[in-house]
Each structure stands twice: as C-alpha cells, then as structure tokens.
Amino acid sequence: MKKALGIGLAGFGTVGSGVWETLEKNSELIQARTGVQVSINRIAVRDLTKAREGAAAELFTTDWQEVVNDDSVQMVVELIGGTTTAFDIVSSALKLGKPVVTGNKALLAERGAELFELSRQHNAPILFEAAIAGAIPIVKAIKDSFAGNRIESMAGIINGTSNYILERMTDAGLDYKVALAEAQELGYAEADPTLDVNGWDAAHKAILLTSLAHGFVIDPADVYVDGIEQVRGTDIAFAKNLGYVVKLLCVMHTRPDGAVELRTQASFISQKHILSSVNGVFNAVAVTGDAAGESLFYGRGAGKGPTASSVVGDIIELAQAMGQGSQPAGFLPYKPDGGLLPIEETETPYYVRFDVSDRPGVVADIAQVLAQHGIGISGTHSPVNSDDPDAEFVDMVFMLHTCPWGKLQATLSEVEKLDCINSAPVVFRIEAL
Amino acid sequence: MKKALGIGLAGFGTVGSGVWETLEKNSELIQARTGVQVSINRIAVRDLTKAREGAAAELFTTDWQEVVNDDSVQMVVELIGGTTTAFDIVSSALKLGKPVVTGNKALLAERGAELFELSRQHNAPILFEAAIAGAIPIVKAIKDSFAGNRIESMAGIINGTSNYILERMTDAGLDYKVALAEAQELGYAEADPTLDVNGWDAAHKAILLTSLAHGFVIDPADVYVDGIEQVRGTDIAFAKNLGYVVKLLCVMHTRPDGAVELRTQASFISQKHILSSVNGVFNAVAVTGDAAGESLFYGRGAGKGPTASSVVGDIIELAQAMGQGSQPAGFLPYKPDGGLLPIEETETPYYVRFDVSDRPGVVADIAQVLAQHGIGISGTHSPVNSDDPDAEFVDMVFMLHTCPWGKLQATLSEVEKLDCINSAPVVFRIEAL
Ligand SMILES: NC(=O)c1ccc[n+]([C@@H]2O[C@H](COP(=O)([O-])OP(=O)(O)OC[C@H]3O[C@@H](n4cnc5c(N)ncnc54)[C@H](OP(=O)(O)O)[C@@H]3O)[C@@H](O)[C@H]2O)c1
Ligand SMILES: NC(=O)c1ccc[n+]([C@@H]2O[C@H](COP(=O)([O-])OP(=O)(O)OC[C@H]3O[C@@H](n4cnc5c(N)ncnc54)[C@H](OP(=O)(O)O)[C@@H]3O)[C@@H](O)[C@H]2O)c1
C-alpha cells in the first residue's frame, strides 16, 4: 500500500550502476522484508552517449540540478566522487531538506564541517555507510550499535589497494612498483592511485570513523598520514623475521584524559594479531568499546556489489523512516573542537631503516646520537637478504624502544647529519593493538 | 529539551545490572551523541532482599505486571530469561503497544511465532540484538545493513562456553569433563550447562539469524542440533593431524532453488579458515550476501558489558525513533512457511569414528557396507594417540566423501549391526565454508 519513494541518483559508474542492479534484482525481497519500495527517478551522469545497462535512457541527464530539484526525488544518492560538484549536489539536496546517501569519503572528510552543519540546519540526514570499508557496516556499528560505548580504540585496514600491494610484496616478493602495476592491471588500483598509496584514502575513512566515535569534526591538516610508497622488500623481510607484517594501518586511541590519537601509517603489526591475516582487497576494522570489549569487522572493502550493498542499506533505512513520516538519526557533530593529540606526543616503539655507508663505526655513531637523546635500542640488524656482503651501501635497521614521535624525529634529523648516512631514514611504527 | 523516555526493566542479574551501569556511566555521552535521554523507572526481580548496586530500592518490585503496566514505562526490557514468565512479560508489553528489547534467544526461538504476531498486531517492535552473539551487532547487520542482499550463507561460532571447552581440549589436551568443570569454575558455563553443550543455545541463535535472513519462523523441531558431548580427545587429535579443528558450528546455506539448510553440529573446519582461530569465549559469524560478498563479525559473545552494549544499542534505537513519534522497524516474518531442507538431504563430507573390536577384517567389513551403499572413502585411520597398540577396543576413523546425511545414517545403522562394532558411531561433518 505504501507508494514508492523516489531516488535521485548522481553517478552511474561502478557504484551507481551497482545500486541500480541491486535494487532491481532484489526489489521483491527488499519490499517483503522492509515494506520499502523505492524507485530511481532521475540519474545524473557526465556523458549521455555512453551505453548504460538497465536504466531507461529518459532517466538520464547531464544536469545534476534537474536531479536534485525533481519533485519526484525525495532523497539524493551521490556517487560521482570528488569534492567539488559532489559538494554542490549534496549541499543543494540538504538545503531542499532532502536526505543524502553518499559513498564519498573524500567529500565528507574534507568538507564535512559545512555539510553536517547544513544537515543540522535543514534537518536532513547524511548517510554514508558506503564511504568506509565497502560492505562492512562499520558506520552503523559505531554510530548505532555501540552508541552506549565509549570507544577506546580502533585499528583499521581500510584501503584494499595498498593492502593488496603489500600482500604481493610480502608473499610473492614483488617490488613496490611491480606490485602496484599488477594492482592496476587487475583493476584494484585506479589509473591515478595517489590517494591509495599515499595513505589519504584510508585517512579520510579513519577521520570519519573518529568523528563518529568522538563527535567532533577533524581537520585533515591535523592528521598524520603516511602511505606505503617508502616500503621496500627489505622492510618486509625484516618484519617477517621479527614476527611482524607490514600493513597500512589507521589507528585511533582514546587516552584516559580524553585526548584522541589518530594516525595512518604503514606499520608493523604482530603476525599473531588477527589483522595481520587480512589480505588482498579485504578490509577490517577492530573496535574496542568500554562495554562491548574487543570486536572485529571484516569484509569486502570496495567494488560494485559490496559498495552498493551499503548504499542500498542506507537507502532502505531512510525509506523506512520516511515512510513513517520520520527520519533516521544521521551523524551530527556534537563537540565543538578537535582535541587530537599532536602527532609529536604519540608514543610507540619503532623500526628505523638507515641507508648507510658501510664503514666501521656506523652503528656506534648512530647509537651514540640515539643515546644522547635517551632513546633506547632493542636491537640492530643488517639486511636479511643482502646478496653481496661487501656492497658499499647497505641498509641498517634499528629497533627502538617506545618514545614520543616528536623526540624521534628531532633525534633522527641529527642522525641524518652524520656523514655515514646517505638519505633520510625510513620509520615504521610498531603498533601493539 | 527532549524529556526522558521511561524504561521498565525485568531482571537485574548479570545483564540487567550491566544495562543499568552502562546507561549510568555513559548517559552524558549517549545524550550528546543521540539526543536520547532514557531513565529506568521500574525494575522487576525475584528477590527484593538481595543487595543491588546502583539502582534505588524503591524502583524494585517482584511483580513484573507493575513494571509493564506502569504509566511511566514506555518500553520494556526483558532480561530474566526462560520461556514462561518472560513470555508473559513480553506479550503483555506488546499488547499495550510498548516496544520490547530482549536478550532472550530461547524465548524468541521457541515462541517467536506468537510474539512476532503480537508485535505486528500491536505495532510494537521487538528488538533483540543482545540475544545473538553478545556485543556483535549481527542482528542489525543482517536485518538492516544487508537488507538489500539475498543472504547466501552464514556460519557461526555463537556459543562461547562450548567453544572454550573445545579450545581447552585442543590446546591443553583436557578431557571433555575436565574442560567443562574448568569452564564452570571460571564462570563461563552455568551451573546447568545443558543448553550450551547440547548445542541448543547456539541453535536458538542460528534459528533467529535464519529467520532474519529468510523471513519465516522456524520450528525448532525441524532443526538438526547436536552438541559437543560426544567429542573426545581422539577426535581433536585426528582433526589436528588432518588440518582441521573441531568447532560447534551453526551453518545456514541458501540453495539456488531457495531451499534453506540449517544445522548446528560439532564440525571439522579447516585450520586455514578464519573461523578456526576464534577461541575462548569469543563469537564470530561469517555472512555471505549476493551483493556484499563475504564478511565476518567477531567479538565478545556474552558477559555483562558486551551483552549490555547490545541492549543499550537497541534502547537508543527505540528511543531515537520514539522521540520523533515513530518506531524502528522491528523484525516481522514475511513468509508463511519454512522451506528448511530436511537434514537427510544435506550433503557434506564426513569424519566417522567407530568403536571397534580390533580383529583382522574390521576395516574390510566396514568398507564393504559403505561400498554397498555407494559411499566413497577418502581415508581410514587408526588412533593418533593410542598408548597401547594392543588394546582390545580401539577407535577406527573413516573419512567419507560427500553424500546425503540420510544415506549416511541409513548406512551407518547397517554398519552398526556388524559384530565388530561396539557402539553407535560418532559423526562429524567436514564443513567447507
Ligand atoms: N568503486 C568503489 O569500489 C568504491 C567504493 C567505495 C566508495 N566509492 C565512492 O563512490 C563514488 C563513486 O565511485 P565509482 O567507482 O562508482 O566512480 P565511477 O565509476 O568513476 O563513476 C562516476 C560516475 O559519476 C558520473 N559523474 C562524474 N562527474 C559528474 C558530473 N560532474 N556530473 C554528473 N555526473 C558525473 C560519471 O558519469 P559518466 O558515467 O558519464 O562518466 C559516472 O557515472 C566515489 O566517491 C568513490 O570514492 C567507490
Ligand atoms: N549472561 C549473559 O552473558 C547473557 C548473554 C546474552 C544473553 N543473555 C540473556 O539475558 C537474559 C538474562 O540473563 P542473565 O545472565 O542476566 O540472568 P541472571 O543473572 O540469572 O539474572 C536474571 C534476573 O531476572 C530476575 N528474575 C528471574 N525470574 C524472575 C521473575 N519470575 N520475576 C522477576 N524477576 C525475575 C532475577 O531476579 P533476582 O536478581 O532477584 O534473582 C535476576 O535479576 C537471559 O535471557 C539470557 O539468555 C545473557
């Protein structure tokens, strides 16, 4: 008896067409389960001449305003990506009081402050399950299921491309560049993989998760982000020998005083931790709540079906509430300000690789600078896989005790001045989890 | 500005008191995050003389009707357990149009048909995240997040007690009875652990998950359930040697024709599958949806905090919707009938342990009966850990190729007639996952 709720879809690429297909294929099931009947009434794309599977030609337009303003459109689903036109689409929808579903982590991480403010003013929720970790319902978990918990920590592997590259470097011994090329060939990495390998795609998601957990908007400029570009086979081999694996890891910790640590870095994690076995294009997020204890969410982090699954879940949540003349509670920031702990103050043990001239006294020289700054050494290692023991330039690895990041950086910039050091040292955190 | 929503709480034991504490401890956070303010206005218990932490004495009563009927009670949280008084409490609340939150899997699995019908008639949802897998938000995942998916399969380790016992048998070589006694000492198993070890606690949860996925009420009498009581050290040792671990596993499969397989049995699963590393009192559920693909949910399956986390999540969901004069969509069956595949027709490979008199020809005799029925043998093994090679009675293990359960049972009852067989054979499925 309920009439169909009208959707305006912006974008009919990988995810947009997946949403269309999922709604088509399972429409009866969705209606039986949830009472919800939705129909996609308008679709914005860039190029009208492209062949489109499924949807009727007359639904398409290149003018997104037509979609957003259409009277038959009660909610807007933004799946074009980017932070410019996408911003205009989402903000226009919100100003009309039309709820929004989006999978656009860059948009929300970069311009969330403005958009969540519009959401509040116009009482129109923004749902974004698909923006983080594909099919994994991590947004609902943090926002709704764990709403009674103080979130003590999160650790996530939430970029499938970099995870695939690191896996291939680890298991097949591929070079970074070869592994990246393979990922691109298989369609796991974009033609421009910058945001995947420099850590920012993962960081955008981690920023959103942290906002969900702590209620404040985070300025990306305040977040320390480092990708996988500096990972070499030698690091992977060292990690393996020492009982670790290298993962691009997003880490959030809530300190007892309420300060929040947040970082995205290629890191060493123990081979025994369950996150170490998250391979390929899978994502996983470990969450600890004060009541719930430890939990882990694992699943497909991207791709047509998995991402569409989350978009459709959000559409159904909206439609169910709207069918009752109500609305689901979208996320709204409830704290004015950050409180992110400066990265300089965050503490872990470290793995540091120095590119040194192999002459007697190198270890002593480095060790002395570290000692002067009170940084403890738990071990020093020469390359595991060196074929030529007499090579003039070698890597030298120092495992360092826990100390603040700022102190480490200051110390390393002094070490760098030693004439035996050939280039900036490479640092990985050892994350305890 | 919103006024507090009144909760009537039935039960102030492990979970009930945990809910009180969580709401107390994190009330400001909950209000900031969700706009929700709730207060527990009445509490039913059995014994008024027990010392209670936290809640004021005047809130307590031994008469649950006072709680349910109280005008200041807008939703009822049932945490007393059992299927009799709990049924009366829940049904009375629903008849008054008061939504219900419960952690009672036995109640919903045994008497869900009546209760969901009342829920429909009186337009009052039943929320039961806490009934399945403690803190893990698996109900919301299946019901809401994956609402756009056809659920193709689920596999769950959802009874912490039996999982702990099997882990101790595996890792410490304990006997079943010793491991059970240890679990009881540590408070992981109830004084009466029957439902934990005979598989029914897990089966109740699997029944509910299957109803969520497929929309029909399941008669527990139609479900094949077998626990861990017949697991011996010798089975664990065989499993280990063959690359498996023994787990109490709930399995749901949707066949292409729509028929649904559902079973709870101690089973062999590959040591390589992620479920094999779920140990101790943790729970995990693997879910495959046609759009989402494979995913896994892992966390604490029971206990005060984890269970309270889920109850509070449900309370908040209700309160948020009720604050808008609306209601969350509770689960309602939408298909009239079962469609569970008879267990006789379900097919897997098997591990079968025979208690035999050790005389020449035993293997040949058994193999012949199996051959007559067309059941293939992939291997036969004698005990891994036999201390006394000349013992008169020994275990003999057959690994069998995939065949229907019904055919296997018929065949085994013939094998049993052989005079070399001393007791009914013990069967474990080998689940592919
Ligand atoms: N792909 C994934 O696995 C995945 C996973 C999670 C989240 N996401 C997010 O989902 C969003 C979409 O990703 P995608 O992979 O589906 O992208 P895509 O395949 O590149 O598709 C983009 C779509 O948007 C349309 N479009 C682009 N600019 C437009 C404009 N100015 N006006 C109208 N239409 C425009 C394109 O039109 P044409 O078809 O005419 O080119 C295309 O249909 C992104 O925010 C992405 O981060 C994607
Ligand atoms: N414990 C867990 O980890 C867990 C996990 C998931 C789900 N659950 C489910 O949660 C429910 C409660 O479990 P629990 O461990 O909290 O049980 P519990 O510790 O035994 O507490 C039961 C509570 O109910 C009260 N009660 C029992 N019968 C009553 C009656 N007829 N009238 C009024 N009050 C009555 C008891 O009163 P007194 O205090 O006066 O004895 C007690 O406060 C069960 O359905 C269980 O399956 C438990």
Side-chain angles (χ1 to χ4, degrees):
Chain A
M1 277 307 171
K2 297 213 179 84
K3 69 178 203 305
L5 217 94
I7 296 172
L9 183 61
F12 201 79
T14 305
V15 184
S17 67
V19 169
W20 174 275
E21 283 169 31
T22 304
L23 286 174
E24 276 284 299
K25 185 175 166 204
N26 291 338
S27 67
E28 276 182 43
L29 185 60
I30 291 169
Q31 211 191 326
R33 271 184 187 157
T34 66
V36 160
Q37 227 186 325
V38 289
S39 70
I40 295 179
N41 290 349
R42 286 318 298 277
I43 305 172
V45 290
R46 233 171 348 201
D47 177 358
L48 275 185
T49 67
K50 269 193 202 169
R52 313 280 177 182
E53 289 274 313
E58 65 265 26
L59 297 184
F60 289 90
T61 169
T62 54
D63 178 4
W64 61 261
Q65 308 221 27
E66 274 186 39
V67 172
V68 170
N69 293 323
D70 195 302
D71 283 342
S72 79
V73 165
Q74 277 106 47
M75 70 173 89
V76 172
V77 177
E78 183 277 306
L79 296 168
I80 71 167
T83 57
T84 52
T85 309
F87 180 86
D88 296 336
I89 294 175
V90 171
S91 57
S92 303
L94 296 174
K95 285 177 188 161
L96 292 170
K98 297 186 180 182
V100 169
V101 176
T102 178
N104 193 333
K105 51 264 174 185
L107 175 66
L108 295 180
E110 300 283 348
R111 309 191 65 179
E114 301 156 82
L115 292 174
F116 290 123
E117 188 48 37
L118 286 174
S119 170
R120 187 196 308 275
Q121 280 169 18
H122 299 278
N123 194 26
I126 307 172
L127 272 59
F128 54 92
E129 188 65 83
I132 306 172
I136 304 175
I138 190 68
V139 172
K140 269 202 188 58
I142 306 285
K143 186 170 75 69
D144 300 330
S145 303
F146 290 176
N149 286 259
R150 185 167 179 275
I151 305 296
E152 295 175 344
S153 70
M154 297 191 283
I157 295 173
I158 47 184
N159 179 274
T161 307
S162 59
N163 198 47
Y164 179 83
I165 292 171
L166 291 175
E167 180 195 359
R168 295 293 290 158
M169 291 176 73
T170 304
D171 290 355
L174 300 188
D175 255 12
Y176 171 74
K177 283 194 178 136
V178 178
L180 171 58
E182 187 183 285
Q184 285 175 306
E185 224 163 273
L186 292 168
Y188 296 155
E190 313 278 321
D192 176 4
T194 312
L195 293 183
D196 289 323
V197 299
N198 73 8
W200 271 103
D201 176 77
H204 283 149
K205 298 167 186 166
I207 283 170
L208 291 173
L209 286 178
T210 303
S211 285
L212 287 173
H214 289 290
F216 55 82
V217 169
I218 291 161
D219 183 344
D222 294 342
V223 180
Y224 188 85
V225 180
D226 202 0
I228 63 166
E229 292 142 307
Q230 82 286 20
V231 180
R232 297 286 164 268
T234 180
D235 303 317
I236 304 244
F238 269 118
K240 214 184 240 175
N241 271 21
L242 296 165
Y244 299 100
V245 293
V246 183
K247 293 285 184 192
L248 180 65
L249 200 72
C250 301
V251 172
M252 190 288 289
H253 275 298
T254 312
R255 296 220 175 172
D257 67 359
V260 178
E261 298 182 28
L262 175 61
R263 57 182 168 265
T264 297
Q265 294 181 255
S267 307
F268 280 29
I269 62 174
S270 166
Q271 285 167 9
K272 287 186 191 135
H273 194 276
I274 195 162
L275 282 178
S276 74
S277 53
V278 174
N279 275 328
V281 294
F282 279 88
N283 280 192
V285 184
V287 184
T288 303
D290 63 346
E294 311 89 328
S295 55
L296 183 95
F297 299 80
Y298 170 91
R300 296 199 168 262
K304 187 173 186 146
T307 314
S309 170
S310 284
V311 173
V312 170
D314 280 351
I315 289 174
I316 291 172
E317 188 181 349
L318 271 176
Q320 282 190 311
M322 291 167 79
Q324 292 189 60
S326 141
Q327 276 189 351
F331 169 71
L332 290 177
Y334 52 87
K335 273 195 207 156
D337 201 313
L340 278 194
L341 197 78
I343 192 71
E344 291 73 22
E345 296 175 32
T346 62
E347 303 192 333
T348 56
Y350 305 94
Y351 161 105
V352 186
R353 170 167 49 83
F354 297 97
D355 177 4
V356 299
S357 303
D358 187 12
R359 60 149 175 77
V362 164
V363 173
D365 287 354
I366 298 174
Q368 205 190 342
V369 180
L370 292 168
Q372 276 161 4
H373 289 78
I375 296 181
I377 299 168
S378 63
T380 67
H381 309 269
S382 344
V384 186
N385 289 329
S386 173
D387 288 336
D388 176 2
D390 288 324
E392 201 178 333
F393 297 96
V394 296
D395 294 322
M396 174 62 64
V397 163
F398 279 65
M399 304 296 287
L400 303 181
H401 285 307
T402 297
C403 75
W405 179 258
K407 182 177 183 174
L408 176 73
Q409 294 302 327
T411 308
L412 291 183
S413 66
E414 271 198 43
V415 173
E416 247 188 280
K417 292 180 198 148
L418 295 173
D419 63 2
C420 60
I421 301 289
N422 297 318
S423 59
V426 172
V427 179
F428 298 101
R429 285 178 190 267
I430 300 168
E431 294 283 3
L433 301 180
Chain B
M1 278 310 172
K2 297 212 178 86
K3 68 178 203 305
L5 218 95
I7 296 171
L9 182 61
F12 202 78
T14 303
V15 184
S17 66
V19 169
W20 174 275
E21 283 168 30
T22 303
L23 287 175
E24 278 282 299
K25 186 176 165 202
N26 291 337
S27 67
E28 276 181 43
L29 185 60
I30 292 170
Q31 212 192 325
R33 271 183 188 157
T34 65
V36 159
Q37 226 187 325
V38 290
S39 69
I40 295 179
N41 290 348
R42 285 320 296 276
I43 305 172
V45 291
R46 234 172 345 200
D47 177 358
L48 274 186
T49 67
K50 269 193 202 169
R52 312 280 176 184
E53 288 274 313
E58 64 265 26
L59 297 184
F60 289 91
T61 168
T62 54
D63 179 3
W64 61 262
Q65 309 222 26
E66 275 185 39
V67 172
V68 171
N69 293 324
D70 195 302
D71 283 341
S72 79
V73 163
Q74 276 108 46
M75 70 173 86
V76 172
V77 178
E78 183 278 306
L79 295 167
I80 72 166
T83 58
T84 52
T85 309
F87 180 87
D88 296 336
I89 294 174
V90 172
S91 57
S92 303
L94 295 173
K95 285 178 189 161
L96 293 169
K98 298 186 180 183
V100 169
V101 176
T102 178
N104 194 331
K105 51 266 175 186
L107 174 67
L108 295 179
E110 299 282 348
R111 309 190 66 180
E114 301 157 80
L115 292 175
F116 290 122
E117 188 47 38
L118 286 174
S119 171
R120 186 193 310 274
Q121 281 169 18
H122 300 277
N123 192 28
I126 307 173
L127 272 58
F128 53 92
E129 188 66 81
I132 306 171
I136 305 175
I138 189 68
V139 172
K140 270 202 189 58
I142 307 284
K143 186 170 75 68
D144 301 330
S145 304
F146 289 175
N149 286 260
R150 185 168 179 276
I151 306 295
E152 294 174 345
S153 71
M154 296 190 283
I157 295 174
I158 46 183
N159 180 273
T161 307
S162 59
N163 198 47
Y164 179 84
I165 292 170
L166 291 175
E167 180 195 358
R168 295 293 291 159
M169 292 175 72
T170 304
D171 290 355
L174 300 187
D175 255 14
Y176 170 74
K177 281 192 179 138
V178 178
L180 171 57
E182 187 182 286
Q184 285 174 306
E185 226 163 89
L186 291 169
Y188 296 156
E190 313 278 321
D192 177 4
T194 311
L195 293 183
D196 289 323
V197 298
N198 73 7
W200 271 102
D201 175 76
H204 283 148
K205 298 167 186 167
I207 283 170
L208 291 174
L209 286 178
T210 303
S211 285
L212 287 173
H214 288 291
F216 54 82
V217 168
I218 290 161
D219 184 344
D222 293 343
V223 181
Y224 187 84
V225 180
D226 203 359
I228 63 166
E229 292 142 310
Q230 82 287 18
V231 181
R232 297 286 165 268
T234 181
D235 303 318
I236 303 246
F238 269 117
K240 213 184 242 178
N241 271 19
L242 297 164
Y244 299 100
V245 292
V246 183
K247 292 286 183 190
L248 180 65
L249 199 72
C250 302
V251 172
M252 190 287 289
H253 275 299
T254 311
R255 296 219 175 175
D257 66 0
V260 178
E261 299 183 27
L262 175 61
R263 57 182 168 269
T264 297
Q265 294 182 257
S267 305
F268 281 29
I269 62 175
S270 165
Q271 286 166 8
K272 285 186 194 137
H273 193 277
I274 195 163
L275 281 178
S276 74
S277 53
V278 175
N279 275 328
V281 293
F282 280 88
N283 280 192
V285 184
V287 183
T288 304
D290 63 347
E294 313 89 330
S295 55
L296 182 93
F297 299 81
Y298 170 90
R300 297 199 167 262
K304 186 172 187 150
T307 314
S309 170
S310 284
V311 172
V312 170
D314 281 352
I315 289 173
I316 291 171
E317 188 181 350
L318 272 175
Q320 282 190 310
M322 291 167 79
Q324 292 190 59
S326 144
Q327 276 189 352
F331 169 71
L332 290 178
Y334 53 88
K335 273 194 206 155
D337 202 314
L340 277 193
L341 197 79
I343 191 72
E344 291 73 22
E345 295 175 33
T346 62
E347 300 192 335
T348 56
Y350 306 94
Y351 160 104
V352 186
R353 170 167 48 82
F354 297 98
D355 175 5
V356 298
S357 303
D358 187 14
R359 59 151 176 75
V362 164
V363 174
D365 287 355
I366 298 172
Q368 205 189 343
V369 181
L370 292 167
Q372 277 161 5
H373 289 79
I375 296 182
I377 300 168
S378 62
T380 68
H381 308 270
S382 347
V384 186
N385 290 329
S386 174
D387 289 336
D388 175 3
D390 289 325
E392 201 175 334
F393 297 95
V394 295
D395 294 321
M396 174 62 64
V397 162
F398 280 65
M399 304 295 287
L400 303 181
H401 285 306
T402 298
C403 76
W405 179 258
K407 183 177 183 174
L408 176 73
Q409 294 303 324
T411 307
L412 291 182
S413 67
E414 271 199 43
V415 173
E416 246 188 281
K417 292 180 198 146
L418 295 173
D419 62 3
C420 61
I421 301 288
N422 296 318
S423 58
V426 172
V427 180
F428 299 100
R429 285 179 191 266
I430 299 168
E431 294 284 3
L433 301 179

